[in-house]
Amino acid sequence: MLASKNQFKLLGKQEVLFDLLGFPFKIFSQISQPSHALNAELSRSAIAILDHFTHYISGFWSRKEPDEKHNYGYLKYRSLIGMIPGTWYIMSGVKHCYDVFYQDLFQLGSNAPMGLAFLAAACLVDLKRIDRKIQLIKSSDSVSERVSLAVNFFMKKKRFHPWENKELKKSFYNLYGSTITLLTGSVCLLTGSMVGDVVGQVLLGALQV
């Protein structure tokens, strides 16, 4: 269990760092092989990054001292601003699920394998993110122990402090997004059809909602 608020902050900083590390790989993948599924994942990732920004702003604002207009302080604004990313997620998810009814399929290009390679790199970033967070939570130097804890957390057999659970769930959501785009992209490459891309788009839209 985490010992201090500094460690809570460190978990949050790790999330920001890995979000910024993984996002460029997804952009390069989209440039190499355009995909509706990856477009949905890029939307989710962008909102996650904006979430860090709104969290910082709301935290800064909520620490202001009470004044004549706000006798009880500014803490309520933190809750109000915190609702913004959630609203974005819902709107983005609904949009991507709805888009499948009228959009055209992308064509499978010659750079599709390169796009998948970038997605594989994004998956590795997300796996390292989970490993790093578990290492911070349990202070474990054993790779096998951290893998076991991650698997048990995924299977809902292991839970930690509520804040730790929240941070780990964020990391798994990132991994879900990267993995779905990688798998559906691989199916498209193997079958020569972009129909699988639509399936990925719907799954990632539903993940945001």
Side-chain angles (χ1 to χ4, degrees):
M1 187 172 292
L2 294 178
S4 67
K5 288 184 177 180
N6 288 334
Q7 287 174 299
F8 282 117
K9 291 180 180 179
L10 185 56
L11 274 179
K13 289 178 180 178
Q14 291 291 315
E15 186 70 13
V16 176
L17 173 63
F18 282 104
D19 274 343
L20 294 176
L21 283 174
F23 194 66
F25 288 115
K26 296 173 185 179
I27 293 177
F28 293 145
S29 179
Q30 182 72 341
I31 293 172
S32 301
Q33 172 58 59
S35 160
H36 291 300
L38 185 51
N39 188 35
E41 171 57 14
L42 280 170
S43 297
R44 189 204 60 77
S45 297
I47 294 171
I49 292 172
L50 288 172
D51 184 20
H52 300 309
F53 178 73
T54 57
H55 180 75
Y56 173 80
I57 294 296
S58 64
F60 176 79
W61 202 356
S62 66
R63 288 193 294 270
K64 291 180 66 176
E65 294 294 328
D67 53 33
E68 292 182 2
K69 281 190 174 182
H70 303 85
N71 297 327
Y72 297 98
Y74 290 78
L75 192 59
K76 65 180 180 181
Y77 290 105
R78 183 166 193 167
S79 299
L80 291 173
I81 295 175
M83 294 172 61
I84 295 174
T87 304
W88 287 342
Y89 277 126
I90 294 172
M91 292 173 63
S92 174
V94 171
K95 175 188 179 299
H96 287 292
C97 288
Y98 176 74
D99 281 351
V100 301
F101 294 106
Y102 66 89
Q103 68 193 8
D104 295 325
L105 293 178
F106 284 115
Q107 296 298 314
L108 192 64
S110 59
N111 289 329
M114 184 181 296
L116 291 179
F118 283 124
L119 284 177
C123 285
L124 290 176
V125 170
D126 290 328
L127 285 170
K128 181 59 181 176
R129 179 203 311 251
I130 293 171
D131 176 66
R132 178 58 178 156
K133 284 190 175 181
I134 290 180
Q135 188 176 24
L136 288 171
I137 290 169
K138 296 299 292 183
S139 300
S140 172
D141 293 325
S142 171
V143 175
S144 60
E145 181 184 3
R146 296 199 301 270
V147 170
S148 176
L149 286 170
V151 172
N152 285 330
F153 185 88
F154 174 76
M155 300 296 292
K156 299 183 179 180
K157 295 180 180 179
K158 178 69 177 178
R159 285 294 181 263
F160 305 102
H161 185 279
W163 278 99
E164 297 166 347
N165 294 336
K166 179 182 177 182
E167 290 298 324
L168 272 176
K169 284 179 181 179
K170 286 182 183 179
S171 299
F172 273 99
Y173 282 137
N174 278 281
L175 181 60
Y176 297 156
S178 300
T179 303
I180 289 171
T181 50
L182 179 61
L183 291 177
T184 55
S186 299
V187 169
C188 291
L189 182 63
L190 291 172
T191 62
S193 170
M194 293 297 286
V195 175
D197 185 40
V198 177
V199 176
Q201 181 181 7
V202 173
L203 290 175
L204 287 162
L207 180 65
Q208 294 180 59
V209 175

